[in-house]
Amino acid sequence: MISRNEAFELLKKYNKDPFHIQHALTVEAVMKWYANDLGYSDEEEYWGIVGLLHDIDFELYPEEHCIKAPELLKEAGVSEDIIHAVCSHGYGITVGCGTTIDVEPTREMEKVLFAADELTGLIWAAALMRPSKSTKDMELKSLKKKYKSKGFAAGCSREVIERGANQLGWELNDLLDKTLHAMAASEDTINEAMLAG
Ligand SMILES: [Fe+2]
């Protein structure tokens, strides 16, 4: 299996925008948090690597998101199970070039990635609106308010997030609550990593 550092180097080969790096580190941390929460502690690093690599093709090939990824990952020797997981986070989504991604998330890890990815974007947008610019002092109540407000972070699809919760058989509130906790727990470490460059 690709190591965590090799995965990080691979991410940086195709992604230069700090916003994309930060998003990848966030989804990595959230995936690791969920691995522990859901009883997969022995797969923590594996879940994290999937999170780190999930948007590998987005910066350079936004119109072919989840379509170009297998090529980039295969070339780097990444295994098929990771490639499947990466592609499955686009399941049912029609990307810019007009193709609808048909790789279905089947493993619990893949369903978590699908559900949490879009939501981390919304939570981070909500954090930036706060005086603290942080998730650490954000309450579920205020996140729910932002979530319901249609004008807020309109680019973060509530339909995708809700489909994600359904795929897991979770209440939306649980997904919001857990993902907020996961982000608050990792925020300082990610900020430090971003500053370190
Ligand atoms: Fe993403």
Side-chain angles (χ1 to χ4, degrees), residues 23 54-55 117:
H23 174 66
H54 81 283
D55 275 342
D117 171 35

Short mmCIF file of all heavy atoms in Angstrom, two decimals, residues 23 54-55 117, ligand 1:
data_model
loop_
_atom_site.label_atom_id
_atom_site.label_comp_id
_atom_site.label_asym_id
_atom_site.label_seq_id
_atom_site.Cartn_x
_atom_site.Cartn_y
_atom_site.Cartn_z
N HIS A 23 -8.17 21.30 2.04
CA HIS A 23 -9.36 20.43 1.94
C HIS A 23 -8.95 18.95 2.03
O HIS A 23 -9.58 18.16 2.73
CB HIS A 23 -10.12 20.71 0.65
CG HIS A 23 -11.25 19.76 0.41
ND1 HIS A 23 -12.37 19.70 1.22
CD2 HIS A 23 -11.43 18.79 -0.53
CE1 HIS A 23 -13.19 18.75 0.78
NE2 HIS A 23 -12.65 18.18 -0.28
N HIS A 54 -8.63 11.85 -2.41
CA HIS A 54 -9.93 11.76 -3.08
C HIS A 54 -10.15 12.78 -4.20
O HIS A 54 -10.83 12.50 -5.17
CB HIS A 54 -11.08 11.78 -2.07
CG HIS A 54 -11.45 13.15 -1.60
ND1 HIS A 54 -10.71 13.86 -0.69
CD2 HIS A 54 -12.46 13.97 -1.97
CE1 HIS A 54 -11.27 15.04 -0.49
NE2 HIS A 54 -12.33 15.14 -1.26
N ASP A 55 -9.56 13.99 -4.04
CA ASP A 55 -9.77 15.03 -5.07
C ASP A 55 -8.52 15.23 -5.93
O ASP A 55 -8.33 16.30 -6.50
CB ASP A 55 -10.13 16.36 -4.40
CG ASP A 55 -11.62 16.50 -4.11
OD1 ASP A 55 -12.42 15.75 -4.71
OD2 ASP A 55 -11.97 17.35 -3.29
N ASP A 117 -17.37 14.47 2.63
CA ASP A 117 -16.59 15.35 1.77
C ASP A 117 -17.28 16.69 1.54
O ASP A 117 -16.74 17.75 1.87
CB ASP A 117 -16.31 14.62 0.45
CG ASP A 117 -15.70 15.52 -0.59
OD1 ASP A 117 -14.89 16.39 -0.21
OD2 ASP A 117 -16.01 15.34 -1.78
FE FE B 1 -13.49 16.78 -1.79
#
